[in-house]
Amino acid sequence: MKLQHSLFWLAGLLLCTASASQAAPVTVTVTATGSNTFSPAVVNINAGDSVLFRYGAGAPHNVVADDNSFRCAKGCDGDGAGGSGALATGWSFTKTFNTPGTIRYYCEAHGGPNGFLMSGQVIVHAVTPSITLGGYLSGNWFNANQGGHGFQLEFTNRSTGATTADMVAIWFVYTPAGSTANDGTGQNWIFAEGDYDTTKNTVTLPAVLLSGAKFPPNFNAADVHRISADASTTWGTLTFTFTDCNNGSVSWHSTLPGYNNANDTPLALTRLTQIAGTTCPGQ
């Protein structure tokens, strides 16, 4: 397989990257026109979207969740704001809601929990992924700005009626230190395998880094061992998320020095090849 050469060749051609699409924040205004209210008192958003709470007029107000998960005004308690979630005027803040459900809130001075007087609701709806995991995502994937390393992904078909199936991912990549010689010592294959949920667009797989054996005919299976920073049997985890049939991202977490990105910055992925005979939904 000439994956490395293909990656270099197509690096300048495939410039699409994955991006998360989020709606603009919904604005809720705290006002005292006629009575102390939140306007609108009920908003509907999708998981991952935000609400901009904005002071409008009247006496000092704040926003307090019924379950005490946040208390906000010029800032939010618990978010490093030093208690600035107290009653105040002239403030605005933006709160992101990632978990589906109904979040009820009120003003500490003019309302109370459970819908009492000055209160409101944020109804957070679960987002149905535009694509779910399946065999049509099998193939080679890479980052268009980093030609020279990439992933080979294989999604098996699920059994009739089952919601899980098996996925294999191989990351053709390099050691943290690299190599100054063309002897292959700077290359790594990181292997990951596990079940995936056929109703979702994301999966986290345990990954291993194998080392110790020699090139055939000197290969001996007994020489193969798993590299890890602790006594575990894994190198770490790889998390793949797909936005459509040709774009996605990967993040990883490893206990081995030099490999960890702690899921801080997912790496955008673009499809490089597709298995013959497979068709993406909607195509």
Side-chain angles (χ1 to χ4, degrees):
M1 181 182 66
K2 298 181 180 179
L3 174 63
Q4 183 172 354
H5 295 291
S6 298
L7 292 171
F8 278 117
W9 182 66
L10 287 177
L13 298 179
L14 300 177
L15 299 178
C16 298
T17 57
S19 61
S21 176
Q22 293 182 330
V26 176
T27 298
V28 173
T29 302
V30 182
T31 182
T33 303
S35 62
N36 296 311
T37 60
F38 294 102
S39 180
V42 178
V43 298
N44 288 268
I45 62 174
N46 290 326
D49 289 342
S50 302
V51 176
L52 169 63
F53 292 91
R54 182 180 68 87
Y55 175 86
H61 302 288
N62 66 1
V63 179
V64 182
D66 277 20
D67 62 2
N68 294 313
S69 58
F70 61 87
R71 179 174 178 263
C72 304
K74 289 188 176 180
C76 292
D77 294 354
D79 291 348
S84 57
L87 295 163
T89 61
W91 50 262
S92 68
F93 70 90
T94 300
K95 189 75 176 175
T96 300
F97 298 88
N98 294 312
T99 304
T102 298
I103 296 87
R104 299 179 184 273
Y105 62 88
Y106 62 95
C107 172
E108 206 166 26
H110 307 102
N114 300 314
F116 177 74
L117 298 178
M118 188 178 180
S119 62
Q121 298 179 43
V122 177
I123 301 174
V124 184
H125 299 274
V127 178
T128 301
S130 58
I131 189 172
T132 56
L133 303 176
Y136 36 78
L137 293 171
S138 297
N140 293 311
W141 294 72
F142 82 130
N143 180 276
N145 296 316
Q146 297 185 19
H149 77 95
F151 295 84
Q152 185 176 79
L153 307 181
E154 182 177 345
F155 297 79
T156 64
N157 293 325
R158 69 176 185 269
S159 302
T160 303
T163 58
T164 61
D166 189 62
M167 174 182 175
V168 172
I170 305 173
W171 190 0
F172 300 95
V173 71
Y174 302 89
T175 63
S179 174
T180 58
N182 294 322
D183 58 3
T185 58
Q187 295 178 321
N188 271 339
W189 286 12
I190 297 173
F191 178 88
E193 181 180 13
D195 289 341
Y196 68 90
D197 189 332
T198 59
T199 66
K200 299 185 181 301
N201 70 331
T202 187
V203 60
T204 297
L205 304 174
V208 298
L209 178 61
L210 304 179
S211 183
K214 295 182 176 64
F215 187 79
N218 299 315
F219 176 82
N220 184 341
D223 294 334
V224 177
H225 65 273
R226 298 169 184 244
I227 300 176
S228 62
D230 52 30
S232 71
T233 61
T234 63
W235 166 87
T237 58
L238 295 173
T239 297
F240 295 92
T241 302
F242 298 89
T243 53
D244 57 45
C245 278
N246 297 305
N247 296 283
S249 65
V250 61
S251 58
W252 58 92
H253 183 90
S254 175
T255 58
L256 201 63
Y259 288 93
N260 187 26
N261 85 333
N263 297 304
D264 290 335
T265 307
L267 181 70
L269 295 178
T270 300
R271 179 193 289 279
L272 182 63
T273 65
Q274 184 171 344
I275 304 300
T278 60
T279 303
C280 287
Q283 292 184 350

